[in-house]
Amino acid sequence: NEEEMEKNLFLLKEKKAVLQSIPVSLVCGSSYTKKITEQFQIYNDSRLIQLPADVPYCVTDKQEVRKKFGLPKDKKIILWGTTAPSSFRKGKHIIDQVLDKLWMSLTDAQKNEIIILNVGPDPGQFGKINNFNVLKLGYQRTRKNMSVCYKMSDVSVCTTLADAGPMMISESMCNKTPVISFDRCVGVDLIKDGETGYLIPDLSIDLMSQKLFKILFENQIETTSENARKMSL
């Protein structure tokens, strides 16, 4: 009712006045987060600090890590993971479609080259059409453990739709794993198209599938991996 609306408006104005009077700065992990926060009237440029998080690095090289986990040296490993696979914003429904489209574009020999590496709670089956080999390592208790997962992968696919990070983008790149992501979140700060991975506009599933094929079978993956590490640093 009208009386309740007036009361809520009064409380919001009071909160705004109090928040603006407190000498507190807000730390944002990416330019994407900072841009969103700037839309709120209680903040301004002088109170927003963009500061990336520290990232663990796995010093062991890719082939040694793979050997430890019994993974073939010549396979192409695609990493996808999240601590919340059931959350719509993490895009499990998107990676399903991307992998199905990738499957349809491959030769039989190429299909056999690929392994999907999954970390985090079990998200169930990946897609409806593809029959990729899938390795599920489950929830990783520490970020140091996660750094090993990044290091053994050739490419990390991020289907997150909205996030303050996600940390998997910066952590992947720090560990020499290029990333394919939508043009949002921290990806816009780190991913240089064609050099450290690919940014996908308009949430295009077709384009994400095409770039995944390109980075696996057409790019100089070693160069892209080194570029990813340099950009992260």
Side-chain angles (χ1 to χ4, degrees):
N1 59 41
E2 190 172 326
E3 183 178 346
E4 188 172 341
M5 287 179 65
E6 288 184 4
K7 181 181 178 181
N8 288 337
L9 183 60
F10 173 79
L11 289 173
L12 285 172
K13 288 180 177 178
E14 288 292 298
K15 287 180 180 179
K16 179 179 177 181
V18 171
L19 284 169
Q20 287 182 324
S21 68
I22 300 174
V24 172
S25 295
L26 204 65
V27 175
C28 304
S30 69
S31 60
Y32 178 81
T33 312
K34 184 172 181 287
K35 183 178 179 180
I36 291 175
T37 310
E38 285 171 341
Q39 296 173 13
F40 294 90
Q41 293 181 4
I42 60 173
Y43 301 110
N44 54 52
D45 280 338
S46 63
R47 303 183 66 195
L48 297 178
I49 302 170
Q50 187 178 330
L51 183 68
D54 185 34
V55 179
Y57 177 64
C58 174
V59 296
T60 310
D61 69 37
K62 186 189 298 289
Q63 300 307 334
E64 283 300 312
V65 172
R66 288 191 179 187
K67 183 179 179 181
K68 180 180 177 181
F69 281 82
L71 292 169
K73 295 181 179 181
D74 58 344
K75 295 293 184 181
K76 299 180 185 297
I77 297 180
I78 301 170
L79 175 67
W80 187 89
T82 175
T83 55
S86 61
S87 173
F88 182 83
R89 70 185 177 87
K90 287 299 182 179
K92 169 60 169 55
H93 60 295
I94 293 175
I95 192 64
D96 288 345
Q97 296 176 68
V98 168
L99 292 178
D100 279 349
K101 285 186 176 294
L102 178 64
W103 179 266
M104 291 187 289
S105 69
L106 301 175
T107 65
D108 288 342
Q110 288 172 332
K111 291 173 182 176
N112 192 49
E113 287 185 61
I114 291 175
I115 295 175
I116 309 302
L117 176 63
N118 174 238
V119 289
D122 191 341
Q125 182 177 335
F126 282 98
K128 297 178 180 179
I129 298 172
N130 79 81
N131 194 29
F132 289 120
N133 290 320
V134 178
L135 175 62
K136 295 179 178 179
L137 293 184
Y139 180 77
Q140 301 298 300
R141 293 186 176 276
T142 69
R143 295 171 70 200
K144 186 176 181 180
N145 289 350
M146 272 301 303
S147 71
V148 177
C149 299
Y150 299 125
K151 184 57 78 71
M152 74 173 74
S153 305
D154 289 299
V155 60
S156 178
V157 179
C158 178
T159 54
T160 297
L161 302 174
D163 203 289
M167 289 165 59
M168 286 190 72
I169 291 181
S170 52
E171 292 183 358
S172 289
M173 293 179 64
C174 177
N175 285 281
K176 298 186 177 182
T177 305
V179 179
I180 299 176
S181 169
F182 296 123
D183 56 349
R184 50 189 60 200
C185 310
V186 75
V188 298
D189 293 321
L190 292 177
I191 300 171
K192 198 168 183 180
D193 223 39
E195 293 186 29
T196 64
Y198 289 99
L199 282 177
I200 309 300
D202 305 320
L203 301 179
S204 174
I205 291 169
D206 286 340
L207 186 58
M208 181 171 274
S209 175
Q210 292 167 20
K211 295 302 184 183
L212 185 52
F213 178 91
K214 187 177 182 69
I215 206 168
L216 290 174
F217 294 102
E218 296 179 3
N219 277 32
Q220 295 293 325
I221 193 71
E222 293 83 7
T223 301
T224 311
S225 297
E226 291 295 334
N227 288 342
R229 168 78 174 162
K230 290 175 184 177
M231 179 63 82
S232 174
L233 294 176

